[in-house]
Amino acid sequence: GQQLNQSPQSMFIQEGEDVSMNCTSSSIFNTWLWYKQEPGEGPVLLIALYKAGELTSNGRLTAQFGITRKDSFLNISASIPSDVGIYFCAGKIYNQGGKLIFGQGTELSVKP
Amino acid sequence: GAGVSQSPRYKVAKRGQDVALRCDPISGHVSLFWYQQALGQGPEFLTYFQNEAQLDKSGLPSDRFFAERPEGSVSTLKIQRTQQEDSAVYLCASSLKRDTAQPQHFGDGTRLSIL
Protein backbone atom coordinates (compact mmCIF):
# COMPACT_ATOMS: atom_id res chain seq x y z
CA GLY A 1 0.00 0.00 0.00
CA GLN A 2 0.93 3.66 0.00
CA GLN A 3 3.59 4.58 2.50
CA LEU A 4 5.15 7.61 4.01
CA ASN A 5 8.85 7.50 4.76
CA GLN A 6 9.45 9.27 8.04
CA SER A 7 12.90 10.02 9.42
CA PRO A 8 14.67 9.78 11.67
CA GLN A 9 13.19 6.73 13.36
CA SER A 10 14.41 7.92 16.77
CA MET A 11 16.22 10.86 18.30
CA PHE A 12 18.02 11.32 21.62
CA ILE A 13 18.62 14.97 22.35
CA GLN A 14 19.57 17.28 25.19
CA GLU A 15 16.98 19.61 26.68
CA GLY A 16 17.11 22.97 24.90
CA GLU A 17 18.17 21.56 21.54
CA ASP A 18 16.17 22.01 18.37
CA VAL A 19 14.68 18.98 16.61
CA SER A 20 13.80 18.36 12.99
CA MET A 21 11.97 15.44 11.41
CA ASN A 22 10.49 14.92 7.97
CA CYS A 23 8.28 12.77 5.81
CA THR A 24 8.40 12.01 2.11
CA SER A 25 5.96 10.25 -0.16
CA SER A 26 5.85 8.98 -3.72
CA SER A 27 2.25 10.26 -3.96
CA ILE A 28 0.96 13.83 -3.99
CA PHE A 29 -0.89 14.78 -0.82
CA ASN A 30 -3.47 17.54 -0.42
CA THR A 31 -3.23 17.63 3.38
CA TRP A 32 -0.38 17.03 5.80
CA LEU A 33 -0.92 16.54 9.52
CA TRP A 34 1.49 16.10 12.40
CA TYR A 35 0.42 14.13 15.48
CA LYS A 36 2.09 13.26 18.81
CA GLN A 37 1.35 10.02 20.59
CA GLU A 38 2.24 9.13 24.18
CA PRO A 39 2.11 5.63 25.67
CA GLY A 40 -1.42 4.31 26.14
CA GLU A 41 -3.00 7.28 24.39
CA GLY A 42 -4.28 8.11 20.94
CA PRO A 43 -2.51 10.49 18.56
CA VAL A 44 -3.03 14.16 19.38
CA LEU A 45 -3.12 16.67 16.53
CA LEU A 46 -0.28 19.22 16.60
CA ILE A 47 -0.40 21.01 13.25
CA ALA A 48 -2.53 20.75 10.08
CA LEU A 49 -1.32 21.97 6.67
CA TYR A 50 -3.59 22.40 3.64
CA LYS A 51 -1.63 24.25 0.94
CA ALA A 52 1.64 23.59 -0.83
CA GLY A 53 4.33 25.85 0.61
CA GLU A 54 2.31 26.59 3.75
CA LEU A 55 4.40 27.21 6.87
CA THR A 56 2.51 27.01 10.17
CA SER A 57 3.59 27.42 13.78
CA ASN A 58 2.06 26.22 17.02
CA GLY A 59 4.13 27.52 19.93
CA ARG A 60 7.60 25.98 19.65
CA LEU A 61 6.48 23.76 16.76
CA THR A 62 6.77 24.73 13.10
CA ALA A 63 5.72 22.61 10.15
CA GLN A 64 5.79 23.08 6.40
CA PHE A 65 3.87 21.57 3.49
CA GLY A 66 6.45 20.93 0.77
CA ILE A 67 6.09 22.70 -2.57
CA THR A 68 6.10 19.40 -4.46
CA ARG A 69 3.23 18.20 -2.17
CA LYS A 70 5.26 15.06 -1.54
CA ASP A 71 6.98 16.06 1.67
CA SER A 72 6.62 17.85 4.98
CA PHE A 73 8.84 18.65 7.93
CA LEU A 74 8.28 19.39 11.61
CA ASN A 75 10.68 21.44 13.73
CA ILE A 76 10.60 21.69 17.51
CA SER A 77 12.64 24.50 19.00
CA ALA A 78 14.18 24.58 22.48
CA SER A 79 13.02 21.08 23.42
CA ILE A 80 11.78 20.33 26.94
CA PRO A 81 11.29 16.99 28.73
CA SER A 82 7.53 16.95 28.05
CA ASP A 83 8.24 16.85 24.31
CA VAL A 84 9.05 13.14 24.78
CA GLY A 85 6.80 10.91 22.68
CA ILE A 86 6.31 9.51 19.20
CA TYR A 87 5.64 11.99 16.42
CA PHE A 88 3.73 10.88 13.34
CA CYS A 89 3.24 12.58 10.03
CA ALA A 90 0.03 11.76 8.20
CA GLY A 91 -1.33 12.75 4.85
CA LYS A 92 -4.39 12.61 2.68
CA ILE A 93 -4.26 11.86 -1.02
CA TYR A 94 -6.52 13.87 -3.30
CA ASN A 95 -9.76 12.11 -4.22
CA GLN A 96 -9.25 9.23 -1.80
CA GLY A 97 -11.70 10.44 0.82
CA GLY A 98 -10.64 11.29 4.31
CA LYS A 99 -8.39 8.36 5.15
CA LEU A 100 -5.02 9.21 6.59
CA ILE A 101 -1.78 7.52 5.59
CA PHE A 102 0.70 7.55 8.47
CA GLY A 103 4.47 7.52 8.62
CA GLN A 104 6.30 5.04 10.83
CA GLY A 105 6.88 7.60 13.57
CA THR A 106 9.85 9.39 15.13
CA GLU A 107 10.48 8.51 18.77
CA LEU A 108 11.85 11.52 20.62
CA SER A 109 13.77 11.25 23.89
CA VAL A 110 14.86 14.41 25.71
CA LYS A 111 17.60 14.31 28.32
CA PRO A 112 17.21 16.93 31.06
CA GLY B 1 -18.06 13.95 26.36
CA ALA B 2 -15.41 16.28 25.10
CA GLY B 3 -13.39 13.77 23.10
CA VAL B 4 -13.65 10.50 21.21
CA SER B 5 -14.44 7.71 23.65
CA GLN B 6 -13.54 4.07 23.04
CA SER B 7 -14.43 0.99 25.02
CA PRO B 8 -13.21 -1.29 26.31
CA ARG B 9 -9.70 0.12 26.81
CA TYR B 10 -8.27 -3.40 26.97
CA LYS B 11 -9.65 -6.65 25.61
CA VAL B 12 -8.16 -10.11 25.93
CA ALA B 13 -9.74 -12.90 23.92
CA LYS B 14 -8.89 -16.45 22.99
CA ARG B 15 -8.16 -17.26 19.38
CA GLY B 16 -11.40 -18.03 17.58
CA GLN B 17 -13.61 -15.82 19.74
CA ASP B 18 -15.57 -12.88 18.39
CA VAL B 19 -14.95 -9.37 19.76
CA ALA B 20 -16.78 -6.04 19.48
CA LEU B 21 -15.11 -2.68 19.97
CA ARG B 22 -17.10 0.49 20.50
CA CYS B 23 -16.44 4.09 19.47
CA ASP B 24 -18.34 7.17 20.64
CA PRO B 25 -17.29 10.07 18.40
CA ILE B 26 -17.28 13.72 19.37
CA SER B 27 -20.87 14.95 19.41
CA GLY B 28 -21.93 16.31 16.04
CA HIS B 29 -19.00 14.85 14.13
CA VAL B 30 -20.14 13.54 10.78
CA SER B 31 -17.14 11.46 9.77
CA LEU B 32 -15.80 8.48 11.69
CA PHE B 33 -12.68 6.43 10.97
CA TRP B 34 -11.20 3.18 12.29
CA TYR B 35 -7.46 2.49 12.27
CA GLN B 36 -5.33 -0.46 13.36
CA GLN B 37 -1.97 0.22 15.03
CA ALA B 38 0.49 -2.63 15.40
CA LEU B 39 3.23 -2.37 18.02
CA GLY B 40 5.90 0.11 16.96
CA GLN B 41 4.06 1.15 13.80
CA GLY B 42 1.92 4.03 12.63
CA PRO B 43 -1.86 3.61 12.47
CA GLU B 44 -3.25 1.97 9.32
CA PHE B 45 -6.63 2.85 7.88
CA LEU B 46 -9.41 0.28 8.14
CA THR B 47 -12.71 1.94 7.25
CA TYR B 48 -14.59 5.26 7.06
CA PHE B 49 -18.17 6.38 7.68
CA GLN B 50 -19.96 9.55 6.77
CA ASN B 51 -23.03 9.60 9.01
CA GLU B 52 -24.38 6.03 8.74
CA ALA B 53 -22.92 5.34 5.30
CA GLN B 54 -19.75 3.26 5.09
CA LEU B 55 -17.95 5.01 2.24
CA ASP B 56 -14.63 3.18 2.28
CA LYS B 57 -13.80 -0.23 3.72
CA SER B 58 -10.76 -0.87 1.60
CA GLY B 59 -8.48 -1.23 4.63
CA LEU B 60 -10.34 -4.06 6.34
CA PRO B 61 -7.85 -6.96 6.27
CA SER B 62 -10.34 -9.77 5.81
CA ASP B 63 -14.02 -10.58 5.77
CA ARG B 64 -13.71 -11.38 9.48
CA PHE B 65 -13.71 -7.63 10.10
CA PHE B 66 -17.01 -5.78 10.05
CA ALA B 67 -17.91 -2.23 11.08
CA GLU B 68 -21.24 -0.47 11.46
CA ARG B 69 -22.64 2.90 12.46
CA PRO B 70 -26.39 2.36 12.20
CA GLU B 71 -27.59 5.73 13.51
CA GLY B 72 -24.71 7.86 12.34
CA SER B 73 -23.21 8.27 15.81
CA VAL B 74 -21.76 5.35 17.79
CA SER B 75 -19.79 2.82 15.76
CA THR B 76 -18.84 -0.79 16.45
CA LEU B 77 -15.94 -2.69 14.95
CA LYS B 78 -16.49 -6.44 15.10
CA ILE B 79 -13.85 -9.08 14.53
CA GLN B 80 -15.03 -12.64 14.08
CA ARG B 81 -12.98 -15.77 14.72
CA THR B 82 -10.06 -13.75 16.02
CA GLN B 83 -6.49 -14.70 15.10
CA GLN B 84 -3.25 -13.84 16.87
CA GLU B 85 -2.31 -11.41 14.11
CA ASP B 86 -5.39 -9.35 15.05
CA SER B 87 -3.58 -8.27 18.24
CA ALA B 88 -3.13 -4.51 17.96
CA VAL B 89 -4.46 -1.20 19.19
CA TYR B 90 -7.67 -0.21 17.38
CA LEU B 91 -8.08 3.55 17.13
CA CYS B 92 -11.21 5.47 16.29
CA ALA B 93 -11.18 9.06 14.99
CA SER B 94 -13.88 11.54 14.10
CA SER B 95 -14.03 14.81 12.21
CA LEU B 96 -16.61 17.55 12.14
CA LYS B 97 -17.86 17.93 8.62
CA ARG B 98 -18.13 16.18 5.32
CA ASP B 99 -15.19 18.26 4.14
CA THR B 100 -12.32 15.82 4.12
CA ALA B 101 -9.93 18.65 4.97
CA GLN B 102 -11.25 18.65 8.52
CA PRO B 103 -8.63 17.23 10.92
CA GLN B 104 -9.33 13.93 12.63
CA HIS B 105 -9.39 13.67 16.42
CA PHE B 106 -8.48 10.31 17.91
CA GLY B 107 -9.65 8.32 20.90
CA ASP B 108 -7.20 6.49 23.17
CA GLY B 109 -7.88 3.17 21.46
CA THR B 110 -8.72 -0.37 22.46
CA ARG B 111 -5.72 -2.63 23.01
CA LEU B 112 -6.72 -6.08 21.77
CA SER B 113 -4.68 -9.13 22.73
CA ILE B 114 -5.49 -12.50 21.21
CA LEU B 115 -4.11 -15.49 23.11
Side-chain angles (χ1 to χ4, degrees):
Chain A
Q2 291 133 347
Q3 280 197 326
L4 290 181
N5 295 313
Q6 184 172 350
S7 64
Q9 194 172 359
S10 61
M11 302 183 75
F12 296 86
I13 61 169
Q14 199 78 27
E15 182 177 0
E17 289 183 356
D18 297 344
V19 169
S20 184
M21 58 192 80
N22 67 84
C23 277
T24 58
S25 169
S26 56
S27 301
I28 292 175
F29 283 10
N30 65 354
T31 301
W32 282 96
L33 305 167
W34 285 91
Y35 286 88
K36 179 186 178 186
Q37 188 175 30
E38 299 187 37
E41 299 182 4
V44 174
L45 182 67
L46 299 174
I47 291 180
L49 301 158
Y50 300 107
K51 287 174 56 177
E54 181 180 355
L55 183 71
T56 296
S57 293
N58 178 8
R60 294 178 295 105
L61 277 60
T62 302
Q64 185 159 31
F65 192 140
I67 291 174
T68 65
R69 300 190 194 179
K70 293 184 177 181
D71 64 313
S72 178
F73 72 74
L74 174 71
N75 288 343
I76 306 173
S77 63
S79 58
I80 58 178
S82 62
D83 290 336
V84 165
I86 302 177
Y87 291 79
F88 289 100
C89 61
K92 297 182 190 178
I93 295 177
Y94 176 74
N95 220 24
Q96 286 200 10
K99 70 179 181 185
L100 292 177
I101 298 167
F102 279 82
Q104 305 96 323
T106 295
E107 185 171 7
L108 179 63
S109 301
V110 180
K111 192 175 177 182
Chain B
V4 177
S5 178
Q6 294 188 246
S7 61
R9 287 298 314 277
Y10 303 92
K11 177 70 178 178
V12 179
K14 292 183 179 177
R15 188 163 56 97
Q17 288 183 330
D18 298 348
V19 298
L21 313 179
R22 176 187 167 106
C23 173
D24 261 293
I26 295 172
S27 178
H29 277 200
V30 167
S31 298
L32 184 146
F33 303 82
W34 284 98
Y35 294 84
Q36 181 191 58
Q37 186 174 25
L39 189 64
Q41 302 294 317
E44 291 197 2
F45 171 80
L46 293 176
T47 186
Y48 158 52
F49 291 86
Q50 196 169 87
N51 295 307
E52 69 279 3
Q54 190 174 18
L55 298 186
D56 186 349
K57 53 182 180 180
S58 62
L60 296 177
S62 78
D63 59 7
R64 297 185 295 105
F65 286 70
F66 172 76
E68 60 183 5
R69 194 186 186 198
E71 296 177 0
S73 178
V74 171
S75 177
T76 303
L77 176 67
K78 297 179 180 177
I79 309 174
Q80 297 176 324
R81 305 181 303 282
T82 52
Q83 304 293 318
Q84 282 193 322
E85 63 261 28
D86 299 336
S87 296
V89 175
Y90 290 85
L91 294 165
C92 177
S94 68
S95 64
L96 180 59
K97 296 180 182 178
R98 292 183 56 171
D99 181 352
T100 56
Q102 289 292 316
Q104 295 173 27
H105 300 273
F106 283 81
D108 287 337
T110 294
R111 183 176 297 276
L112 177 64
S113 298
I114 305 300
L115 306 178

